[in-house]
Amino acid sequence: MIVTFTANPSLDRTVALPGPLERGEVQRAVSVSQESGGKGVNVSRALVASGLETIAVLPGGDSDPVLAGLRHDSVPFAALPIDEPLRTNVALTEPGGVTTKINEPGPVLSEEEQEALISLLLERARGASWVVLAGSLPPGFPADFYATVTRRLRNGAGDGTPLIAVDSSGGPLVAAVADTSDGTTPDGTSGKPDLLKPNAEELAELAAAAGFATASTAEELEADPEAAAEAAAAVVRSGVGAVLATLGSKGAVLVTADGAWLATHPPVAAVSTVGAGDSSLAGYLLAHGQGAAPADCLRQAVAHGAAAASLPGSTVPAVHQTTPDAVTITALRKD
Ligand SMILES: Nc1ncnc2c1ncn2[C@@H]1O[C@H](COP(=O)(O)OP(=O)(O)O)[C@@H](O)[C@H]1O
Ligand SMILES: O=P(O)(O)OC[C@H]1O[C@](O)(COP(=O)(O)O)[C@@H](O)[C@@H]1O
């Protein structure tokens, strides 16, 4: 069972434009679609599409359209009722796949609601193989929320501690990695994840904030997988189990304590990249659950990502829609 946790879910509206986005002009949409989204929610949707057991933990009122969408798609979920509506995120897609996303901040949750959300997760995470903590945090959440939740999951789980994956950005991402609790808190439990899934922008952000590597921009990391692997290796040396760094159309690198690999997929006709990163993470977890070696988990991650990019809106692929045999794996120097 893979449990996903999305503190800030969204109704994803994808607006397809007839041509390039024209700032300051009126443009007519070609089509509009909407789906329940948010990073953990998308991971659960992708796992359900491939027949895996998952549950999405999230806040949301019973009549919220995000929950209605999950019911419609038969995605199992456990929701903490809240009064405020969840957010709507808009993605503008251009022919050729260029995607512009506008993400709302999300509802304000009280401290009591934040605590109740953690309790709901702890309850649902019992016996899970993985817990995926994903996405931005709604306004008012402490930046170190993921590190706190990670420690509490590890403390409460006894022998059956789930592996923990984090996919976030900004302050929550930096705090998840900069956690200094190893051996210094009374319980001595690390708040760092077993797997981190940054994209190039997030890896650059992390490297700059933590002083892990010579500062590189997202564009530089996408163009230079060796540099991306170097930045990811610094994150692994800091105590994170493994880093799956996705590099858009350039594929992805995986760095663990034992090695580093690059995976590339032949070019696809990109339609919408919304949910591509979440699909990559789902592909990795799917292969990991089948006992695949690290390089083959990476292979499935990139196969899932490429398939997601070729599908409209935030549609997530099922494993049979992916082409892992088309993925090329190259071993990289780790240090
Ligand atoms: N334009 C694209 N063409 C082909 N594959 C893509 C494209 N964009 C994304 N992907 C696939 O999706 C994965 C995740 O995309 P990326 O943009 O790095 O993550 P995120 O969606 O988290 O920003 C990539 O590793 C790649 O496999
Ligand atoms: O929580 P954030 O960072 O605002 O991101 C939420 C958005 O990201 C998505 O999960 C898509 O993520 P990816 O494109 O990175 O896979 C959308 O469903 C959602 O609207």
Side-chain angles (χ1 to χ4, degrees):
M1 160 73 83
I2 297 172
V3 177
T4 67
F5 178 79
T6 312
N8 206 3
S10 58
L11 185 66
D12 283 356
R13 276 180 76 76
T14 307
V15 179
L17 298 175
L21 174 66
E22 291 169 23
R23 241 180 112 221
E25 298 299 323
V26 174
Q27 282 177 282
R28 306 277 169 197
V30 174
S31 64
V32 178
S33 60
Q34 66 181 37
E35 259 150 329
S36 300
K39 297 199 190 299
V41 165
N42 288 342
V43 172
S44 279
R45 287 173 50 223
L47 294 171
V48 166
S50 293
L52 270 83
E53 228 191 316
T54 181
I55 184 163
V57 176
L58 72 170
D62 198 48
S63 59
D64 197 286
V66 172
L67 299 196
L70 291 178
R71 283 189 199 100
H72 178 266
D73 295 344
S74 305
V75 177
F77 66 86
L80 176 80
I82 58 167
D83 293 333
E84 266 196 75
L86 296 169
R87 60 185 173 152
T88 298
N89 290 343
V90 177
L92 305 168
T93 60
E94 300 172 27
V98 175
T99 306
T100 306
K101 303 185 201 174
I102 300 171
N103 293 2
E104 292 184 12
V108 175
L109 271 66
S110 66
E111 278 182 26
E112 290 72 28
E113 286 172 324
Q114 292 178 28
E115 185 52 41
L117 199 52
I118 297 178
S119 299
L120 181 60
L121 173 64
L122 295 179
E123 189 189 302
R124 295 307 179 126
R126 262 183 232 126
S129 54
W130 281 92
V131 173
V132 177
L133 306 174
S136 60
L137 297 171
F141 272 57
D144 63 356
F145 185 80
Y146 286 141
T148 302
V149 170
T150 297
R151 282 198 298 276
R152 287 181 62 175
L153 281 163
R154 287 178 176 152
N155 278 329
D159 286 345
T161 308
L163 292 166
I164 294 165
V166 170
D167 178 0
S168 193
S169 55
L173 168 67
V174 172
V177 173
D179 180 69
T180 52
S181 57
D182 307 59
T184 60
T185 52
D187 58 42
T189 310
S190 168
K192 296 188 188 193
D194 298 290
L195 176 69
L196 191 74
K197 207 286 309 154
N199 62 17
E201 204 169 309
E202 291 150 1
L203 186 60
E205 203 173 17
L206 198 54
F212 279 142
T214 42
S216 302
T217 63
E219 291 71 27
E220 285 165 349
L221 292 178
E222 280 196 2
D224 184 357
E226 301 265 354
E230 203 180 303
V235 178
V236 170
R237 281 195 297 276
S238 83
V240 171
V243 175
L244 169 63
T246 56
L247 307 173
S249 62
K250 301 292 169 21
V253 298
L254 175 69
V255 179
T256 72
D258 302 321
W261 302 266
L262 164 69
T264 54
H265 191 281
V268 297
V271 176
S272 164
T273 57
V274 184
D278 305 334
S279 298
S280 307
L281 182 52
Y284 180 98
L285 298 176
L286 187 148
H288 189 273
Q290 293 170 344
D296 287 322
C297 295
L298 173 64
R299 177 190 298 280
Q300 191 58 51
V302 166
H304 256 74
S310 68
L311 293 169
S314 44
T315 311
V316 290
V319 68
H320 68 81
Q321 294 172 290
T322 70
T323 48
D325 290 345
V327 175
T328 303
I329 302 283
T330 314
L332 298 174
R333 274 171 46 90
K334 194 165 74 69
D335 302 303

Short mmCIF file of all heavy atoms in Angstrom, two decimals, residues 14-65:
data_model
loop_
_atom_site.label_atom_id
_atom_site.label_comp_id
_atom_site.label_asym_id
_atom_site.label_seq_id
_atom_site.Cartn_x
_atom_site.Cartn_y
_atom_site.Cartn_z
N THR A 14 -7.18 22.86 -17.01
CA THR A 14 -6.22 23.01 -18.11
C THR A 14 -6.91 23.70 -19.27
O THR A 14 -7.95 23.23 -19.75
CB THR A 14 -5.68 21.64 -18.56
OG1 THR A 14 -5.18 20.96 -17.40
CG2 THR A 14 -4.55 21.79 -19.57
N VAL A 15 -6.37 24.83 -19.67
CA VAL A 15 -6.94 25.62 -20.77
C VAL A 15 -5.99 25.49 -21.96
O VAL A 15 -4.83 25.92 -21.89
CB VAL A 15 -7.07 27.11 -20.34
CG1 VAL A 15 -7.63 27.95 -21.49
CG2 VAL A 15 -7.94 27.23 -19.09
N ALA A 16 -6.48 24.88 -23.04
CA ALA A 16 -5.63 24.71 -24.24
C ALA A 16 -5.76 25.94 -25.12
O ALA A 16 -6.86 26.32 -25.53
CB ALA A 16 -6.05 23.45 -24.99
N LEU A 17 -4.62 26.59 -25.40
CA LEU A 17 -4.61 27.80 -26.24
C LEU A 17 -4.38 27.42 -27.71
O LEU A 17 -3.74 26.40 -28.00
CB LEU A 17 -3.48 28.73 -25.77
CG LEU A 17 -3.59 29.27 -24.34
CD1 LEU A 17 -2.33 30.07 -23.98
CD2 LEU A 17 -4.83 30.14 -24.18
N PRO A 18 -4.88 28.26 -28.65
CA PRO A 18 -4.71 27.93 -30.07
C PRO A 18 -3.29 28.18 -30.56
O PRO A 18 -2.88 27.70 -31.61
CB PRO A 18 -5.68 28.88 -30.77
CG PRO A 18 -5.87 30.02 -29.80
CD PRO A 18 -5.67 29.47 -28.42
N GLY A 19 -2.53 28.98 -29.82
CA GLY A 19 -1.15 29.32 -30.24
C GLY A 19 -0.37 29.74 -29.01
O GLY A 19 -0.79 29.48 -27.88
N PRO A 20 0.77 30.41 -29.21
CA PRO A 20 1.57 30.84 -28.06
C PRO A 20 0.79 31.79 -27.15
O PRO A 20 -0.06 32.55 -27.62
CB PRO A 20 2.75 31.57 -28.71
CG PRO A 20 2.78 31.09 -30.12
CD PRO A 20 1.37 30.75 -30.49
N LEU A 21 1.05 31.72 -25.87
CA LEU A 21 0.42 32.61 -24.89
C LEU A 21 0.79 34.06 -25.22
O LEU A 21 1.97 34.39 -25.41
CB LEU A 21 0.94 32.25 -23.48
CG LEU A 21 0.50 33.14 -22.33
CD1 LEU A 21 -1.01 33.04 -22.10
CD2 LEU A 21 1.24 32.74 -21.06
N GLU A 22 -0.23 34.92 -25.32
CA GLU A 22 0.04 36.34 -25.64
C GLU A 22 -0.30 37.18 -24.42
O GLU A 22 -1.48 37.40 -24.12
CB GLU A 22 -0.79 36.78 -26.85
CG GLU A 22 -0.34 36.13 -28.15
CD GLU A 22 -1.33 36.36 -29.28
OE1 GLU A 22 -2.11 37.32 -29.22
OE2 GLU A 22 -1.33 35.54 -30.22
N ARG A 23 0.72 37.60 -23.71
CA ARG A 23 0.54 38.39 -22.48
C ARG A 23 -0.21 39.67 -22.78
O ARG A 23 0.11 40.36 -23.73
CB ARG A 23 1.91 38.73 -21.91
CG ARG A 23 2.12 38.17 -20.55
CD ARG A 23 3.48 38.54 -20.04
NE ARG A 23 3.38 39.47 -18.94
CZ ARG A 23 4.17 40.52 -18.76
NH1 ARG A 23 5.11 40.79 -19.61
NH2 ARG A 23 4.01 41.29 -17.72
N GLY A 24 -1.23 39.98 -21.99
CA GLY A 24 -1.95 41.25 -22.13
C GLY A 24 -3.00 41.24 -23.22
O GLY A 24 -3.66 42.26 -23.45
N GLU A 25 -3.17 40.10 -23.92
CA GLU A 25 -4.16 40.02 -25.01
C GLU A 25 -5.34 39.13 -24.62
O GLU A 25 -5.25 38.38 -23.64
CB GLU A 25 -3.50 39.41 -26.27
CG GLU A 25 -2.36 40.23 -26.83
CD GLU A 25 -2.78 41.61 -27.27
OE1 GLU A 25 -3.91 41.75 -27.80
OE2 GLU A 25 -2.01 42.57 -27.07
N VAL A 26 -6.44 39.22 -25.37
CA VAL A 26 -7.56 38.29 -25.19
C VAL A 26 -7.31 37.10 -26.11
O VAL A 26 -7.05 37.28 -27.29
CB VAL A 26 -8.92 38.93 -25.57
CG1 VAL A 26 -10.04 37.88 -25.50
CG2 VAL A 26 -9.23 40.10 -24.64
N GLN A 27 -7.37 35.90 -25.54
CA GLN A 27 -7.22 34.70 -26.38
C GLN A 27 -8.39 33.77 -26.12
O GLN A 27 -8.90 33.71 -24.99
CB GLN A 27 -5.90 33.98 -26.05
CG GLN A 27 -4.68 34.64 -26.67
CD GLN A 27 -3.39 33.94 -26.27
OE1 GLN A 27 -2.89 34.13 -25.17
NE2 GLN A 27 -2.85 33.16 -27.17
N ARG A 28 -8.83 33.07 -27.13
CA ARG A 28 -9.96 32.13 -27.00
C ARG A 28 -9.40 30.72 -26.79
O ARG A 28 -8.52 30.29 -27.54
CB ARG A 28 -10.81 32.12 -28.28
CG ARG A 28 -11.29 33.50 -28.69
CD ARG A 28 -12.54 33.90 -27.93
NE ARG A 28 -12.84 35.31 -28.14
CZ ARG A 28 -13.65 36.02 -27.39
NH1 ARG A 28 -14.25 35.46 -26.35
NH2 ARG A 28 -13.88 37.29 -27.63
N ALA A 29 -9.94 30.05 -25.78
CA ALA A 29 -9.45 28.69 -25.51
C ALA A 29 -9.99 27.73 -26.56
O ALA A 29 -11.11 27.88 -27.04
CB ALA A 29 -9.91 28.26 -24.13
N VAL A 30 -9.18 26.74 -26.88
CA VAL A 30 -9.61 25.69 -27.81
C VAL A 30 -10.44 24.65 -27.05
O VAL A 30 -11.45 24.15 -27.52
CB VAL A 30 -8.37 25.00 -28.44
CG1 VAL A 30 -8.78 23.81 -29.29
CG2 VAL A 30 -7.56 25.99 -29.24
N SER A 31 -10.00 24.35 -25.83
CA SER A 31 -10.73 23.40 -24.99
C SER A 31 -10.33 23.62 -23.54
O SER A 31 -9.29 24.23 -23.26
CB SER A 31 -10.42 21.96 -25.40
OG SER A 31 -9.05 21.70 -25.17
N VAL A 32 -11.17 23.15 -22.65
CA VAL A 32 -10.89 23.26 -21.22
C VAL A 32 -11.22 21.92 -20.58
O VAL A 32 -12.20 21.28 -20.94
CB VAL A 32 -11.78 24.35 -20.55
CG1 VAL A 32 -11.53 24.43 -19.06
CG2 VAL A 32 -11.53 25.71 -21.19
N SER A 33 -10.34 21.47 -19.66
CA SER A 33 -10.66 20.23 -18.94
C SER A 33 -10.32 20.43 -17.47
O SER A 33 -9.56 21.35 -17.12
CB SER A 33 -9.86 19.06 -19.50
OG SER A 33 -8.48 19.32 -19.36
N GLN A 34 -10.90 19.64 -16.61
CA GLN A 34 -10.51 19.74 -15.20
C GLN A 34 -10.43 18.38 -14.53
O GLN A 34 -11.15 17.45 -14.90
CB GLN A 34 -11.41 20.70 -14.44
CG GLN A 34 -12.86 20.30 -14.27
CD GLN A 34 -13.62 21.38 -13.52
OE1 GLN A 34 -13.39 22.58 -13.70
NE2 GLN A 34 -14.53 20.97 -12.65
N GLU A 35 -9.47 18.30 -13.61
CA GLU A 35 -9.23 17.05 -12.91
C GLU A 35 -8.83 17.35 -11.47
O GLU A 35 -8.32 18.43 -11.19
CB GLU A 35 -8.07 16.29 -13.57
CG GLU A 35 -8.53 15.17 -14.48
CD GLU A 35 -7.56 14.91 -15.64
OE1 GLU A 35 -6.91 15.86 -16.11
OE2 GLU A 35 -7.49 13.77 -16.06
N SER A 36 -9.06 16.39 -10.58
CA SER A 36 -8.57 16.54 -9.21
C SER A 36 -7.07 16.41 -9.24
O SER A 36 -6.54 15.49 -9.88
CB SER A 36 -9.16 15.45 -8.31
OG SER A 36 -10.55 15.55 -8.32
N GLY A 37 -6.38 17.33 -8.57
CA GLY A 37 -4.92 17.30 -8.64
C GLY A 37 -4.25 17.67 -7.34
O GLY A 37 -4.86 17.66 -6.26
N GLY A 38 -2.99 18.06 -7.47
CA GLY A 38 -2.11 18.19 -6.31
C GLY A 38 -1.16 17.02 -6.41
O GLY A 38 -1.52 15.96 -6.94
N LYS A 39 0.07 17.23 -5.95
CA LYS A 39 1.11 16.25 -6.28
C LYS A 39 0.83 14.84 -5.75
O LYS A 39 0.92 13.86 -6.49
CB LYS A 39 2.47 16.76 -5.83
CG LYS A 39 2.83 18.03 -6.59
CD LYS A 39 4.28 18.36 -6.55
CE LYS A 39 4.53 19.76 -7.12
NZ LYS A 39 4.11 19.90 -8.52
N GLY A 40 0.47 14.72 -4.47
CA GLY A 40 0.19 13.39 -3.93
C GLY A 40 -1.03 12.77 -4.60
O GLY A 40 -1.05 11.56 -4.89
N VAL A 41 -2.04 13.58 -4.82
CA VAL A 41 -3.27 13.10 -5.48
C VAL A 41 -2.93 12.52 -6.85
O VAL A 41 -3.40 11.44 -7.22
CB VAL A 41 -4.29 14.27 -5.60
CG1 VAL A 41 -5.40 13.93 -6.58
CG2 VAL A 41 -4.85 14.64 -4.23
N ASN A 42 -2.07 13.21 -7.59
CA ASN A 42 -1.70 12.71 -8.93
C ASN A 42 -0.92 11.40 -8.84
O ASN A 42 -1.09 10.51 -9.68
CB ASN A 42 -0.84 13.74 -9.67
CG ASN A 42 -1.66 14.93 -10.13
OD1 ASN A 42 -2.89 14.85 -10.18
ND2 ASN A 42 -1.00 16.02 -10.42
N VAL A 43 -0.06 11.28 -7.82
CA VAL A 43 0.68 10.02 -7.65
C VAL A 43 -0.34 8.90 -7.39
O VAL A 43 -0.27 7.83 -8.02
CB VAL A 43 1.71 10.12 -6.49
CG1 VAL A 43 2.32 8.75 -6.20
CG2 VAL A 43 2.81 11.12 -6.85
N SER A 44 -1.31 9.14 -6.52
CA SER A 44 -2.33 8.11 -6.26
C SER A 44 -3.11 7.80 -7.53
O SER A 44 -3.39 6.63 -7.82
CB SER A 44 -3.29 8.57 -5.16
OG SER A 44 -2.73 8.35 -3.88
N ARG A 45 -3.49 8.83 -8.29
CA ARG A 45 -4.24 8.59 -9.53
C ARG A 45 -3.43 7.71 -10.49
O ARG A 45 -3.96 6.78 -11.12
CB ARG A 45 -4.59 9.92 -10.20
CG ARG A 45 -5.70 10.68 -9.47
CD ARG A 45 -5.92 12.07 -10.03
NE ARG A 45 -6.06 12.05 -11.46
CZ ARG A 45 -5.49 12.90 -12.30
NH1 ARG A 45 -4.72 13.87 -11.84
NH2 ARG A 45 -5.67 12.80 -13.58
N ALA A 46 -2.12 7.98 -10.58
CA ALA A 46 -1.28 7.18 -11.48
C ALA A 46 -1.15 5.74 -10.97
O ALA A 46 -1.12 4.80 -11.77
CB ALA A 46 0.10 7.82 -11.62
N LEU A 47 -1.08 5.57 -9.68
CA LEU A 47 -0.97 4.21 -9.13
C LEU A 47 -2.26 3.43 -9.36
O LEU A 47 -2.24 2.26 -9.74
CB LEU A 47 -0.62 4.28 -7.63
CG LEU A 47 0.77 4.85 -7.30
CD1 LEU A 47 0.93 5.07 -5.81
CD2 LEU A 47 1.89 3.95 -7.83
N VAL A 48 -3.40 4.11 -9.15
CA VAL A 48 -4.70 3.46 -9.39
C VAL A 48 -4.79 3.04 -10.87
O VAL A 48 -5.25 1.94 -11.19
CB VAL A 48 -5.86 4.42 -9.02
CG1 VAL A 48 -7.18 3.93 -9.58
CG2 VAL A 48 -5.96 4.56 -7.50
N ALA A 49 -4.31 3.90 -11.76
CA ALA A 49 -4.38 3.60 -13.21
C ALA A 49 -3.65 2.31 -13.54
O ALA A 49 -3.98 1.63 -14.50
CB ALA A 49 -3.80 4.77 -14.01
N SER A 50 -2.64 1.97 -12.71
CA SER A 50 -1.88 0.74 -12.96
C SER A 50 -2.28 -0.38 -12.02
O SER A 50 -1.57 -1.38 -11.90
CB SER A 50 -0.38 1.02 -12.83
OG SER A 50 0.02 1.88 -13.86
N GLY A 51 -3.39 -0.20 -11.32
CA GLY A 51 -3.93 -1.27 -10.47
C GLY A 51 -3.23 -1.44 -9.14
O GLY A 51 -3.37 -2.49 -8.51
N LEU A 52 -2.48 -0.42 -8.70
CA LEU A 52 -1.80 -0.55 -7.39
C LEU A 52 -2.68 -0.05 -6.26
O LEU A 52 -3.55 0.81 -6.45
CB LEU A 52 -0.47 0.22 -7.40
CG LEU A 52 0.69 -0.65 -7.86
CD1 LEU A 52 0.74 -0.68 -9.38
CD2 LEU A 52 1.99 -0.14 -7.30
N GLU A 53 -2.38 -0.58 -5.06
CA GLU A 53 -3.15 -0.19 -3.89
C GLU A 53 -2.61 1.12 -3.33
O GLU A 53 -1.41 1.23 -3.05
CB GLU A 53 -2.98 -1.29 -2.83
CG GLU A 53 -4.27 -1.75 -2.20
CD GLU A 53 -3.99 -2.61 -1.00
OE1 GLU A 53 -3.09 -3.49 -1.10
OE2 GLU A 53 -4.61 -2.39 0.04
N THR A 54 -3.47 2.10 -3.19
CA THR A 54 -3.03 3.41 -2.69
C THR A 54 -4.19 4.10 -1.99
O THR A 54 -5.37 3.75 -2.23
CB THR A 54 -2.52 4.28 -3.85
OG1 THR A 54 -2.08 5.55 -3.34
CG2 THR A 54 -3.60 4.55 -4.89
N ILE A 55 -3.86 5.07 -1.15
CA ILE A 55 -4.90 5.94 -0.59
C ILE A 55 -4.33 7.34 -0.53
O ILE A 55 -3.15 7.53 -0.18
CB ILE A 55 -5.40 5.43 0.79
CG1 ILE A 55 -6.54 6.30 1.29
CG2 ILE A 55 -4.30 5.39 1.83
CD1 ILE A 55 -7.36 5.65 2.39
N ALA A 56 -5.14 8.31 -0.92
CA ALA A 56 -4.72 9.72 -0.89
C ALA A 56 -5.27 10.37 0.37
O ALA A 56 -6.48 10.37 0.59
CB ALA A 56 -5.24 10.44 -2.13
N VAL A 57 -4.38 10.90 1.20
CA VAL A 57 -4.80 11.61 2.42
C VAL A 57 -4.73 13.10 2.11
O VAL A 57 -3.72 13.59 1.59
CB VAL A 57 -3.90 11.25 3.62
CG1 VAL A 57 -4.27 12.07 4.85
CG2 VAL A 57 -3.99 9.75 3.91
N LEU A 58 -5.81 13.81 2.41
CA LEU A 58 -5.89 15.24 2.04
C LEU A 58 -6.96 15.94 2.87
O LEU A 58 -7.81 15.26 3.44
CB LEU A 58 -6.18 15.40 0.54
CG LEU A 58 -7.58 15.06 0.02
CD1 LEU A 58 -7.71 15.53 -1.43
CD2 LEU A 58 -7.94 13.60 0.09
N PRO A 59 -6.92 17.28 2.93
CA PRO A 59 -8.05 18.00 3.51
C PRO A 59 -9.11 18.22 2.44
O PRO A 59 -8.80 18.15 1.25
CB PRO A 59 -7.41 19.34 3.94
CG PRO A 59 -6.31 19.55 2.95
CD PRO A 59 -5.83 18.19 2.53
N GLY A 60 -10.32 18.51 2.84
CA GLY A 60 -11.35 18.83 1.83
C GLY A 60 -12.75 18.57 2.34
O GLY A 60 -13.01 17.52 2.93
N GLY A 61 -13.64 19.54 2.10
CA GLY A 61 -15.05 19.37 2.47
C GLY A 61 -15.71 18.31 1.61
O GLY A 61 -15.30 18.09 0.46
N ASP A 62 -16.72 17.66 2.17
CA ASP A 62 -17.34 16.52 1.51
C ASP A 62 -17.86 16.85 0.10
O ASP A 62 -17.82 16.01 -0.79
CB ASP A 62 -18.49 16.01 2.39
CG ASP A 62 -18.86 14.60 2.01
OD1 ASP A 62 -17.95 13.77 1.87
OD2 ASP A 62 -20.07 14.36 1.81
N SER A 63 -18.34 18.09 -0.08
CA SER A 63 -18.89 18.43 -1.39
C SER A 63 -17.88 19.14 -2.29
O SER A 63 -18.23 19.64 -3.36
CB SER A 63 -20.13 19.33 -1.21
OG SER A 63 -19.73 20.50 -0.52
N ASP A 64 -16.62 19.20 -1.85
CA ASP A 64 -15.61 19.88 -2.66
C ASP A 64 -15.43 19.15 -4.00
O ASP A 64 -15.37 17.92 -4.03
CB ASP A 64 -14.28 19.92 -1.89
CG ASP A 64 -13.32 20.96 -2.48
OD1 ASP A 64 -12.76 20.69 -3.56
OD2 ASP A 64 -13.17 22.02 -1.86
N PRO A 65 -15.32 19.90 -5.10
CA PRO A 65 -15.16 19.25 -6.41
C PRO A 65 -13.93 18.35 -6.50
O PRO A 65 -13.92 17.39 -7.30
CB PRO A 65 -15.02 20.42 -7.39
CG PRO A 65 -15.23 21.67 -6.62
CD PRO A 65 -15.46 21.36 -5.18
#
